[in-house]
């Protein structure tokens, strides 16, 4: 019997709750900081704004009381990057019985530019952290559409525990030993998805998107390797896999925000309209991290200029295309 406590009752927290509930031996509780969100979930068993049309399993319990985490064997973070550190601080006193923490968030802690798993480990230092990542739109995970992801950790037995606890006939989990690479791929692909959306909004075509994705993967891997990740991780589910799904699907809020920006909506208005757009925050963080590591990331730099310096998206695309000619590899 595993007691699973999921922090965050948004799209992905609820999708993982539905997956966890498929395993008979799991007890699943979802927590939100917002009482009105929990009250609506108890009443409707559906999140009408974040995951409309998806019924949450009758097995899942809801609470706004974070002290209930104290019975949990596994605590899952389904929290946007901006709030991960504060939620980790709040849950820390109730983690004594917890065997491992799972991070599903994709981004960096903005104030320190650290990975979210590192942020969680700083706040809850005595527990192993597992990164659960890969091409996994909540809208599809939640209704049992076949999906494959990676549970990666420096602690092999915790990665195995997550694989054993959350695997279902439609949710296949591989274990991995490069949590840093898995997390960096998952975070940085959101920047490229925003960029792909901008190109779509500008009226570019499939060729443009394919070029952006491929050159985007090159710069993601370049920064990842400089930060200590393994090159081969970026060819896997959490790298290439997640990049493909995010850049090509209308489920992606990053891509949808990008399309609005390409069509002339300001970046701040686009983010306000769409909601959680991790690529926006991640672009700011990655721009600074790339500077710190001395790594060239032309697409990230171009998008940063559009999002935060008022540059014109069409001009930036022109600049990217007219960079000095070079060899591909
Ligand atoms: N949606 C997806 O398909 C998907 C897939 C994989 C990973 N992720 C990642 O999971 C994370 C969460 O994304 P999401 O799509 O579930 O977001 P969301 O906007 O749907 O939900 C966020 C939830 O976080 C909680 N929250 C928001 N602000 C908070 C605060 N100030 N304090 C405490 N809790 C707060 C609330 O319960 C809210 O419903 C992101 O990092 C995202 O990149 C999302």
């Amino acid at each position: 019997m595993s007691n699973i406590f999921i922090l965050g009752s948004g799209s992905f927290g609820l999708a993982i709750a539905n997956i966890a509930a498929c395993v008979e031996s799991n007890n699943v509780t979802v927590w939100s900081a917002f009482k009105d969100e929990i009250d609506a979930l108890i009443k409707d068993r559906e999140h009408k704004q974040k995951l409309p049309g998806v019924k949450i399993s009758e097995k899942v319990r809801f609470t706004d009381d974070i002290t209930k985490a104290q019975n949990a064997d596994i605590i899952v973070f389904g929290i946007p990057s901006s709030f991960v550190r504060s939620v980790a601080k709040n849950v820390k006193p109730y983690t004594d019985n917890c065997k491992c923490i799972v991070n599903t968030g994709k981004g960096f802690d903005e104030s320190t530019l650290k990975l979210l798993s590192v942020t969680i480990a700083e706040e809850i230092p005595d527990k192993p952290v597992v990164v659960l990542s890969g091409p996994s739109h909540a809208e599809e995970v939640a209704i049992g559409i076949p999906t494959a992801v990676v549970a990666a950790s420096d602690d092999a037995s915790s990665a195995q525990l997550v694989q054993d606890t959350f695997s279902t006939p439609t949710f296949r989990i591989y274990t991995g030993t490069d949590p840093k690479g898995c997390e960096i791929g998952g975070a940085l692909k959101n920047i490229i998805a925003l960029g792909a959306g901008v190109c779509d909004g500008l009226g570019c075509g499939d060729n443009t998107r394919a070029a952006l994705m491929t050159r985007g993967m090159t710069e993601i891997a370049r920064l990842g390797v400089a930060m200590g990740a393994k090159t081969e991780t970026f060819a896997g589910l959490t790298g290439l896999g997640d990049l493909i799904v995010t850049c090509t699907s209308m489920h992606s809020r990053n891509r949808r925000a990008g399309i609005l920006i390409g069509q002339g909506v300001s970046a701040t208005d686009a983010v306000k309209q769409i909601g959680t757009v991790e690529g926006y925050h991640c672009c700011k963080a990655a721009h600074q991290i790339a500077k710190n590591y001395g790594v060239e990331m032309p697409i990230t730099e171009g998008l940063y200029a559009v999002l935060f310096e008022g540059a014109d998206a069409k001009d930036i695309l022109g600049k990217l295309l007219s960079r000095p000619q070079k060899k591909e590899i």
Side-chain angles (χ1 to χ4, degrees):
M1 174 75 73
S2 286
N3 289 321
I4 297 161
F5 197 82
I6 298 170
L7 298 162
S9 63
S11 320
F12 205 63
L14 293 172
I16 286 294
N18 262 4
I19 286 294
C22 291
V23 179
E24 213 178 316
S25 55
N26 289 339
N27 271 329
V28 187
T29 305
V30 174
W31 168 88
S32 170
F34 307 109
K35 188 172 181 314
D36 52 346
E37 196 170 39
I38 289 299
D39 288 344
L41 280 164
I42 291 169
K43 184 171 145 281
D44 303 327
R45 299 210 73 80
E46 179 187 339
H47 199 312
K48 291 189 188 291
Q49 295 78 40
K50 307 259 181 195
L51 212 50
V54 176
K55 282 289 161 201
I56 308 307
S57 164
E58 291 295 332
K59 249 182 89 172
V60 175
R61 291 188 206 114
F62 300 105
T63 185
D64 62 349
D65 179 2
I66 204 164
T67 69
K68 296 242 168 80
Q70 62 201 0
N71 299 321
D73 302 301
I74 299 177
I75 295 176
V76 181
F77 276 72
I79 299 280
S81 55
S82 311
F83 315 114
V84 164
R85 189 177 289 280
S86 61
V87 172
K89 265 190 217 301
N90 291 345
V91 79
K92 161 78 175 84
Y94 314 108
T95 54
D96 286 352
N97 297 315
C98 174
K99 295 182 191 133
C100 76
I101 313 257
V102 179
N103 174 46
T104 67
K106 293 177 177 173
F108 293 88
D109 176 44
E110 278 162 57
S111 57
T112 61
L113 303 181
K114 289 181 179 167
L115 288 166
L116 299 180
S117 61
V118 174
T119 305
I120 293 168
E122 279 180 357
E123 297 299 331
I124 310 170
D126 49 346
K127 302 290 173 187
V129 181
V130 178
V131 172
L132 187 67
S133 189
S136 50
H137 285 314
E139 294 82 351
E140 298 189 358
V141 171
I143 57 169
I145 287 180
T147 298
V149 297
V150 180
S153 179
D154 292 326
D155 183 60
S157 62
S158 294
Q160 175 86 60
L161 175 66
V162 170
Q163 185 180 47
D164 292 343
T165 308
F166 293 88
S167 290
T168 76
T170 63
F171 196 66
R172 180 168 170 78
I173 305 179
Y174 294 84
T175 56
T177 54
D178 182 18
K180 193 180 266 181
C182 290
E183 205 173 350
I184 291 170
L188 297 184
K189 58 89 195 182
N190 285 331
I191 301 172
I192 307 304
L194 243 172
V198 172
C199 290
D200 290 338
L202 286 173
C204 300
D206 297 341
N207 296 350
T208 323
R209 191 181 319 113
L212 196 84
M213 288 166 67
T214 315
R215 295 309 299 169
M217 186 38 83
T218 303
E219 68 180 58
I220 289 174
R222 199 185 293 138
L223 182 63
V225 169
M227 291 172 75
K230 293 179 190 151
T231 313
E232 57 270 28
T233 304
F234 297 99
L237 286 166
T238 61
L240 187 60
D242 209 358
L243 183 75
I244 292 171
V245 82
T246 316
C247 290
T248 58
S249 168
M250 281 308 277
H251 285 315
S252 168
R253 288 167 299 199
N254 293 287
R255 179 166 175 240
R256 281 192 276 130
I259 291 173
L260 290 175
I261 294 165
Q263 289 169 341
V265 176
S266 76
T268 41
D269 284 351
V271 170
K272 237 183 247 158
Q273 215 170 304
I274 302 284
T276 302
V277 182
E278 289 284 30
Y280 178 81
H281 306 285
C282 192
C283 184
K284 196 176 208 175
H287 181 257
Q288 188 55 48
I289 296 168
K291 263 194 194 160
N292 296 350
Y293 279 89
V295 169
E296 200 184 18
M297 297 187 78
I299 298 171
T300 302
E301 282 163 30
L303 194 64
Y304 180 87
V306 173
L307 297 181
F308 302 106
E309 295 175 335
D312 180 72
K314 210 169 189 175
D315 289 350
I316 294 295
L317 180 59
K319 278 188 184 153
L320 282 170
L321 287 165
S322 58
R323 295 179 77 234
Q325 292 176 336
K326 55 192 279 202
K327 292 180 180 156
E328 185 194 18
I329 293 160

